[in-house]
Amino acid sequence: MNNMNFINKIGSFYPINLVANNSHNAFYINYETLPNTSAIGFYMVLAGLQIHKVFTVNLIITADDNRIVVNTKNTVVTDELPEDNLIKEKGLTSGTFTISPKPFDIPDGVHTYLATAILEDTDGNIWDNATTWFVTRPDPSKN
């Protein structure tokens, strides 16, 4: 593929509830009692990755008070990706992934969070980024 607009991209990025029976998108994370910690994960599609390369996905979660509650780097080695979700075509590979950051404390009340994923290669080149959001709140069905 010659068009650099389609190489090394984040095709999709959204939050999922890690404790739910099915990991559908979950923009609202409910809690019943405090203290509690997050059960958030992120579903991600990385598309058109160049094979024989190493990338990092830097995940940053910022709370509504501008505190960074998560800042992690996840290594993606394109030659070591699991085969079950891969599509290989013309020297590129695409696949689906789940990123599960360490839990963080959830404060009382309703709070919004901004999650950013940054795709970077080992030379420090940033290829793509994506942003999503989620909310933590008291479980409305328990009130």
Side-chain angles (χ1 to χ4, degrees):
M1 181 176 294
N2 296 331
N3 190 334
M4 295 300 280
N5 291 324
F6 299 102
I7 294 176
N8 304 329
K9 295 298 178 185
I10 298 172
S12 182
F13 174 63
Y14 59 85
I16 58 175
N17 187 337
L18 294 175
V19 296
N21 291 337
N22 50 15
S23 295
H24 293 296
N25 58 344
F27 292 96
Y28 295 93
I29 305 297
N30 299 324
Y31 63 85
E32 291 184 30
T33 59
L34 292 176
N36 204 332
T37 56
S38 67
I40 192 83
F42 295 91
Y43 185 81
M44 176 176 278
V45 176
L46 296 179
L49 295 180
Q50 295 168 300
I51 60 171
H52 314 304
K53 297 270 188 177
V54 177
F55 294 91
T56 59
V57 175
N58 188 9
L59 175 65
I60 302 167
I61 301 175
T62 307
D64 51 15
D65 61 0
N66 291 322
R67 282 181 307 113
I68 294 176
V69 296
V70 170
N71 188 351
T72 62
K73 291 193 176 192
N74 303 273
T75 302
V76 177
V77 180
T78 59
D79 293 336
E80 297 175 6
L81 297 174
E83 292 291 326
D84 47 342
N85 289 328
L86 290 183
I87 300 170
K88 293 182 179 180
E89 181 82 28
K90 296 185 179 181
L92 303 174
T93 186
S94 300
T96 60
F97 308 88
T98 301
I99 295 177
S100 304
K102 66 178 177 121
F104 56 91
D105 293 332
I106 297 173
D108 189 24
V110 177
H111 294 279
T112 56
Y113 297 84
L114 191 64
T116 302
I118 302 166
L119 181 64
E120 185 176 350
D121 65 22
T122 54
D123 295 325
N125 299 310
I126 294 175
W127 285 91
D128 203 5
N129 63 68
T131 302
T132 190
W133 59 271
F134 62 96
V135 173
T136 58
R137 65 182 181 183
D139 190 338
S141 69
K142 304 295 182 192
N143 295 333

